[in-house]
Amino acid sequence: MASAQHGGGERTLRVLIVGADTSLEDEFRPPPSGLPDTHGVPHYAATYRPAVEIARGRQPNFILIDVDRDVGEVAALSKDLQEVVPEAAIAASFKLDQLEQGQSESAAIIELLRAQVRDFIRRPLSATELRSVLDRLFSRTPTAAINSIVSSG
């Protein structure tokens, strides 16, 4: 998957945000600070069917799924998205009160990890935590993480 380049050497992080709460998209804007010369291009899907269609068409390299419904549904979506874009890194965003509904937090996390969710981020999003998640997902070092985002493919 080649990454788009913009004038001045800016790199593009192709993001798919999935969740019914539109404020998640707002939390992701402006482009994540701490990623020098990186421009985020987020696409938003409120429901799961459009999420799979957008993933198929846009080939995101980072997918953020809000845990805004039953964890089993979120896990199923993660598996479906992994089949459509196997190169994408998938993370889940959550509010503590949402994650704990219906089952223990540890059981929810285990189910999501088994569904290929590779990291988690609390809401509201913080730039520092988002940077840490991206570093963990794309590499062990910050510089290599940025290079991985750019040259994934």
Side-chain angles (χ1 to χ4, degrees):
M1 248 187 309
S3 187
Q5 294 285 329
H6 294 284
E10 274 189 359
R11 300 169 182 123
T12 301
L13 176 63
R14 295 177 313 279
V15 179
L16 172 58
I17 300 169
V18 184
D21 183 355
T22 57
S23 67
L24 181 58
E25 183 179 18
D26 295 335
E27 291 172 26
F28 199 83
R29 296 177 198 260
S33 63
L35 293 177
D37 302 323
T38 301
H39 173 73
V41 177
H43 299 280
Y44 177 77
T47 59
Y48 290 3
R49 179 177 285 162
V52 172
E53 291 170 6
I54 291 169
R56 187 173 288 117
R58 301 291 182 174
Q59 296 292 303
N61 50 10
F62 178 60
I63 300 172
L64 183 62
I65 305 171
D66 196 24
V67 181
D68 58 358
R69 48 194 69 137
D70 179 72
V71 172
E73 291 179 48
V74 176
L77 174 65
S78 177
K79 290 176 184 177
D80 289 346
L81 289 170
Q82 194 68 47
E83 286 181 23
V84 173
V85 278
E87 302 87 14
I90 299 175
S93 65
F94 66 94
K95 294 180 181 175
L96 284 177
D97 60 332
Q98 290 174 324
L99 190 59
E100 296 171 350
Q101 292 177 0
Q103 64 183 26
S104 73
E105 182 178 331
S106 60
I109 290 172
I110 289 168
E111 184 173 353
L112 292 170
L113 287 170
R114 288 178 177 159
Q116 304 303 314
V117 172
R118 293 176 45 202
D119 213 326
F120 300 86
I121 187 167
R122 285 182 301 265
R123 293 195 52 206
L125 301 181
S126 89
T128 302
E129 190 173 4
L130 182 59
R131 171 57 191 244
S132 295
V133 166
L134 291 172
D135 283 349
R136 285 191 303 266
L137 289 173
F138 291 101
S139 179
R140 299 216 181 266
T141 63
T143 303
I146 293 169
N147 292 336
S148 174
I149 292 167
V150 172
S151 63
S152 64

